[in-house]
Amino acid sequence: MASSIEVGGSWSTNEDIALCQSWVNISHDPITGNEMKFHHMWSKIHGEFCQRSGSIRTEMALSSRWKLLNKELGKWRNALTKAKANIQSGQNLTDEMVQAQMWFGAMGQGKKSFVHFQCWEIVKDCSRFKIIPTGPPVVMNETPLHDSTSTDSPLDSPMETESPFVPRPPRPIGRKAAKAKRGATSSNDCVQLLEQIAKSATLRIERDLKRDEMDKAREEAYALQQQMAQEKYIEDREMKIMAMDTSHMSPETKAYWKLRRRDVMRKKLFNDDGPSNTDWLNDENH
């Protein structure tokens, strides 16, 4: 049995699988599945889930998680149905899955791609998720090979053996078949529309990425320009400090500019922006 998982943590794939297995076993029980009340059903699902997974998640947590899985699995069933209806001759299962993922992402309201394939294998045969083919039915020619009133012996009806057989005209297509045919045409139009939407979305994303890159490059260039300007301003200020003529100044002013010069020298020598407090720099000979 798996180790217990903390309540409220993210759901693992094994937990999702255990939940789907428990839901199928309890809700589709041939004896009691249709007669159980909602709260009683989830109580039994919770018990089987805990036994399968070893998890200590609450019954409410299971119900909330199943709402999300049920929504995703239902979307995937619809996407597969559309993909199967539009799959062309010569295409394989991979083409069908790619097209189904496109339909799944185009439906919105959730994740852009389907990932719960192991859960799907568990529930796909349930009535809620079973895929029903939507293609037009094949209309067979129901003309009999022989008239029901004729016999196999030419002696019983000699005139029929001499008369050529005139086949019945084919039956006109019915309303349901005509509606299904229109649905197939409409489905192809939807596929083309989805392809156009996907292409437009791709172009828009590429355009946005290029614009973001250009904006980032401009911001970096501006920041570099500002940094260079700041460094030049500091350099010019330090040059003025070092070139300051203090011969005509009072002793206090001379002392001030002397300290400023020491700060500049220390910054150049030690890469230090702090105030001057180095003993050797306070020597009158420096």
Side-chain angles (χ1 to χ4, degrees):
M1 183 178 294
S3 60
S4 298
I5 301 175
E6 294 184 3
V7 178
S10 58
W11 281 74
S12 66
T13 302
N14 291 335
E15 284 185 301
D16 287 339
I17 293 173
L19 176 57
C20 291
Q21 290 173 337
S22 302
W23 179 84
V24 171
N25 291 342
I26 300 302
S27 64
H28 289 72
D29 187 283
I31 299 177
T32 62
N34 295 329
E35 299 178 357
M36 281 190 296
K37 294 183 179 180
F38 181 81
H39 70 277
H40 183 55
M41 180 187 74
W42 275 106
S43 177
K44 296 191 67 174
I45 291 175
H46 179 254
E48 181 166 338
F49 170 82
C50 293
Q51 184 177 1
R52 285 178 176 272
S53 64
S55 174
I56 56 174
R57 294 188 184 274
T58 64
E59 183 178 324
M60 183 177 297
L62 266 64
S63 178
S64 299
R65 181 62 178 176
W66 174 248
K67 289 180 181 179
L68 296 177
L69 288 176
N70 181 49
K71 182 178 180 180
E72 294 293 300
L73 292 168
K75 282 179 57 180
W76 181 242
R77 175 206 57 201
N78 296 337
L80 276 177
T81 301
K82 293 181 181 295
K84 288 179 181 293
N86 288 280
I87 201 72
Q88 299 178 1
S89 177
Q91 292 182 323
N92 53 28
L93 180 60
T94 302
D95 300 319
E96 180 180 308
M97 296 298 290
V98 171
Q99 191 175 135
Q101 288 285 16
M102 291 178 59
W103 280 103
F104 185 87
M107 292 177 184
Q109 298 180 354
K111 297 180 180 178
K112 295 298 182 181
S113 60
F114 182 74
V115 295
H116 303 289
F117 294 103
Q118 292 173 291
C119 293
W120 171 252
E121 291 299 321
I122 297 171
V123 305
K124 67 180 182 180
D125 294 327
C126 298
S127 57
R128 178 182 299 185
F129 301 106
K130 187 172 293 186
I131 297 176
I132 301 176
T134 58
V138 178
V139 180
M140 302 296 293
N141 189 353
E142 298 179 357
T143 303
L145 295 178
H146 301 283
D147 194 291
S148 59
T149 58
S150 63
T151 62
D152 294 334
S153 175
L155 297 176
D156 295 335
S157 53
M159 295 301 296
E160 290 184 4
T161 61
E162 298 175 1
S163 301
F165 175 72
V166 181
R168 297 179 183 178
R171 295 179 61 185
I173 188 171
R175 292 184 178 180
K176 292 184 178 179
K179 184 177 180 180
K181 185 176 181 180
R182 290 195 301 270
T185 303
S186 176
S187 184
N188 291 331
D189 294 339
C190 289
V191 172
Q192 295 178 359
L193 178 60
L194 283 173
E195 291 176 351
Q196 293 177 359
I197 293 174
K199 185 176 180 180
S200 299
T202 302
L203 293 175
R204 184 174 64 253
I205 292 173
E206 291 178 353
R207 184 173 62 250
D208 292 342
L209 289 175
K210 289 181 180 179
R211 185 176 65 249
D212 292 342
E213 291 176 357
M214 293 178 62
D215 292 342
K216 183 178 180 181
R218 282 196 295 266
E219 291 176 358
E220 291 177 350
Y222 177 77
L224 180 60
Q225 184 180 6
Q226 291 292 103
Q227 181 180 354
M228 293 175 63
Q230 180 70 12
E231 292 176 353
K232 186 177 184 304
Y233 169 77
I234 295 174
E235 183 70 21
D236 292 343
R237 185 183 63 183
E238 292 176 347
M239 290 294 294
K240 290 180 180 180
I241 292 173
M242 297 301 296
M244 179 67 66
D245 181 13
T246 61
S247 60
H248 62 285
M249 297 181 181
S250 64
E252 292 82 3
T253 305
K254 286 182 180 181
Y256 168 78
W257 285 109
K258 185 177 181 179
L259 290 175
R260 293 292 302 272
R261 288 172 181 169
R262 289 173 179 172
D263 290 338
V264 173
M265 289 296 295
R266 188 177 63 175
K267 179 180 177 183
K268 295 295 184 182
L269 294 175
F270 303 106
N271 193 24
D272 186 1
D273 293 334
S276 178
N277 59 2
T278 306
D279 294 339
W280 73 271
L281 283 176
N282 291 330
D283 193 346
E284 293 295 335
N285 295 328
H286 288 79

